[in-house]
Amino acid sequence: MFPAQAYGCTSCGAFGDELGISELPAEGTLLTFAVVHRHDRHPVPFTLGEIEIGSDGPIVRALLGDGHEPAIGDRVRARVVEDEGQQRLEFVAATEVNA
Amino acid sequence: MKTLADMRPVYVVGIGLHPYQNRSDTTYVTLGLRAVREALADAGITWPDVESAYIGNALVGMAAGAGMLRYLGMTGIPFAQVENASASGSTAVRQAAMEVAAGFTDVSLAMGVDTVDQWRTGPAKARVRGLADSLAAPFTHFAMLTEKYMQESGATPEQIAKVAVKNHRNGAHNPYAQRQQERTLEEVMAPPRISGVLTRLQCTPVGEGAAAVIVMSEEGMRRHGIDRRRAIRIAASASRSEEIFGRENYDVALTRKTTFEAFEQSGIAPKELDVLEVHDAFTIEELLYVEAMGLCEQGEAAAALERGDYDIGGRHAVSPSGGLIAMGHPLGPTGTGQVAEVVRQLRGEAGVRQQPNARVGLAHMVGIGPVCLVHILVRDN
């Protein structure tokens, strides 16, 4: 399950010592996305994506970085970017990170 | 587990609303009292006849019911405030219906009321943070579903926008609707863009308002001399929350499961539905949900809508009130207001919005949780 939390497993109810933290690969497949034109605090437009991590991992929502026209099915990879002194995670086309 | 079908029959015998409207200086008390007084007058009863009240409310706050209903005269009846996010008003109807069905009362009020206010949600207080929670407003959640739906079904942005054209047309004839203006496809697709292909007129306007229904047993109807021809039976009430649905979108999977539970309770089949009020806060939702409810095959709702299947006068009138897109979505009232519209349709009292010969109707809400409620209503005579 994602994000990690210690309350209990949303699938089976396991809690306490039965829960552990595991690392996920920082890449996945773009399932869908939207270019957002309205937000109270975050500058617009920005693109939000829904990404399946790994091949059968959790589905996360994250910012998509500038620089490529997103398409459903894209392989994407996470990277950490500096944004006004703060670090944030965004996903970009997998090829872009390799390059 | 028992259902309404196992218990004594329950009928909606009175409906009332305060028009849904943009934020104003009107107090929630004024909104709520108007809806309740209209419902009492519609039923032909008075406030002392009511034996219990459920008040659907998401934003007003503690003791909202008592702070309002006292001005009808304090009769000492039990109140319970019901919060279930966008489905609060639907849940109030369910609670009142179950109480009457079980024989605790013969006459109960279900209502919803809200004014525009800050949302305070439980999940936001749980401190479980994803990567971009604050960026995924409901309109973006549904914009992402729209993108996926277009890719899978081949539907175009124009076809999706046509949901709003239909619902604005219906709302234009509804005196209780927040948006009472017909819109062309060009107007619906014009900026401002909100998220993805969704434009402003494809998104619900969250405002203020109130809705109320009076439910009764047959015993109550005899005692109060209710005209049976205007009484509409609640044939099913189904309420569910999220479970593990695998890869399918949870709004859709939850809607399918809850709706089919209601079909099973009532013995009604999808093709029998004359009128539906669905949770169309965003255009894409209507298409996804009518498919999940079995009105058409997967991926075919956009084409069916274009053929006029979901128009008033079509195979199934979907959101003849204007739905959340045009009638509006003031949160607490919305689910109760859907039931009021379905009752008006099944009585044949909907005027220019009337679906001809309507006998069976369905009201569907989803809410943050996610939760889903479905009621099926039937005219017996």
Side-chain angles (χ1 to χ4, degrees), chain B residues 11-222:
Chain B
Y11 301 82
V12 178
V13 302
I15 58 175
L17 296 112
H18 186 292
Y20 299 173
Q21 60 192 24
N22 293 332
R23 182 181 203 155
S24 75
D25 290 337
T26 315
T27 65
Y28 86 93
V29 180
T30 298
L31 300 171
L33 291 177
R34 169 161 170 184
V36 178
R37 286 181 175 130
E38 190 172 291
L40 292 169
D42 181 56
I45 62 169
T46 59
W47 178 240
D49 298 328
V50 176
E51 299 164 31
S52 72
Y54 289 92
I55 304 99
N57 175 259
L59 302 176
V60 175
M62 204 184 286
M68 163 181 57
L69 297 175
R70 63 192 299 115
Y71 302 109
L72 294 167
M74 295 191 289
T75 56
I77 63 167
F79 297 152
Q81 210 160 297
V82 176
E83 190 279 304
N84 208 4
S86 290
S88 296
S90 317
T91 308
V93 172
R94 175 175 162 83
Q95 295 303 121
M98 289 194 301
E99 194 167 56
V100 170
F104 287 93
T105 61
D106 289 310
V107 184
S108 290
L109 166 73
M111 67 173 300
V113 62
D114 257 314
T115 49
V116 178
D117 212 326
Q118 196 190 341
W119 290 22
R120 296 178 199 85
T121 72
K125 291 180 176 175
R127 298 184 194 163
V128 177
R129 308 243 186 274
L131 296 173
D133 295 342
S134 66
L135 303 181
F139 52 70
T140 294
H141 169 73
F142 286 105
M144 291 198 291
L145 282 183
T146 308
E147 189 67 33
K148 195 158 174 247
Y149 183 83
M150 289 193 297
Q151 212 228 14
E152 287 172 357
S153 71
T156 65
E158 287 78 11
Q159 285 182 303
I160 289 169
K162 283 179 181 175
V163 172
V165 174
K166 169 180 69 70
N167 292 352
H168 283 280
R169 184 166 64 234
N170 294 347
H173 302 290
N174 182 354
Y176 298 103
Q178 187 168 343
R179 288 167 162 170
Q180 296 183 35
Q181 193 178 344
E182 289 205 35
R183 300 287 191 171
T184 64
L185 181 60
E186 291 67 34
E187 285 174 308
V188 166
M189 295 196 71
R193 297 170 71 181
I194 304 295
S195 194
V197 301
L198 298 178
T199 53
R200 184 177 65 88
L201 291 177
Q202 296 185 63
C203 302
T204 183
V206 173
E208 59 187 31
V213 301
I214 308 283
V215 297
M216 279 196 196
S217 62
E218 291 186 336
E219 166 75 28
M221 287 164 59
R222 269 192 298 276

Side-chain angles (χ1 to χ4, degrees), chain A residues 30-36 46-51 59-64 70 72, chain B residues 132-133 135-152 160 194-198 249-251 282 284-285 288:
Chain A
L30 186 63
L31 299 180
T32 185
F33 64 93
V35 180
V36 181
F46 61 87
T47 306
L48 196 69
E50 194 168 272
I51 297 138
I59 294 171
V60 307
R61 284 174 173 178
L63 272 174
L64 298 185
I72 290 173
Chain B
D133 295 342
L135 303 181
F139 52 70
T140 294
H141 169 73
F142 286 105
M144 291 198 291
L145 282 183
T146 308
E147 189 67 33
K148 195 158 174 247
Y149 183 83
M150 289 193 297
Q151 212 228 14
E152 287 172 357
I160 289 169
I194 304 295
S195 194
V197 301
L198 298 178
N249 168 259
Y250 54 76
D251 304 288
F282 306 96
I284 185 65
E285 289 188 89
L288 291 170

Side-chain angles (χ1 to χ4, degrees), chain A:
Chain A
M1 60 196 175
F2 183 89
Q5 44 81 15
Y7 290 129
C9 174
T10 55
S11 180
C12 71
F15 65 101
D17 294 343
E18 293 174 281
L19 297 179
I21 302 280
S22 57
E23 285 195 4
L24 292 168
E27 59 180 31
T29 307
L30 186 63
L31 299 180
T32 185
F33 64 93
V35 180
V36 181
H37 299 280
R38 187 166 292 194
H39 199 275
D40 295 344
R41 297 176 303 279
H42 197 278
V44 291
F46 61 87
T47 306
L48 196 69
E50 194 168 272
I51 297 138
E52 179 176 29
I53 297 297
S55 54
D56 190 29
I59 294 171
V60 307
R61 284 174 173 178
L63 272 174
L64 298 185
D66 295 333
H68 89 284
E69 280 286 304
I72 290 173
D74 280 356
R75 293 293 298 167
V76 290
R77 194 164 289 180
R79 69 178 181 195
V80 177
V81 291
E82 291 283 335
D83 188 4
E84 292 177 358
Q86 297 223 318
Q87 287 194 330
R88 67 177 165 80
L89 194 71
E90 66 177 27
F91 281 76
V92 292
T95 50
E96 214 168 292
V97 179
N98 291 338

Side-chain angles (χ1 to χ4, degrees), chain B residues 235-241 243 245 250-271 273 275-279 288-295 361-366 371-376:
Chain B
S237 173
S239 174
R240 297 198 61 82
S241 61
E243 57 192 277
F245 288 121
Y250 54 76
D251 304 288
V252 176
L254 180 55
T255 289
R256 179 182 302 111
K257 186 141 188 183
T258 311
T259 306
F260 277 80
E261 188 177 303
F263 287 148
E264 195 171 315
Q265 287 179 20
S266 58
I268 298 287
K271 62 175 178 0
L273 296 172
V275 177
L276 299 92
E277 287 286 321
V278 305
H279 182 280
L288 291 170
Y289 299 148
V290 298
E291 289 176 6
M293 291 173 178
L295 265 53
L362 179 150
H364 157 265
M365 282 297 284
V366 294
V371 296
C372 181
L373 271 94
V374 171
H375 286 95
I376 292 178

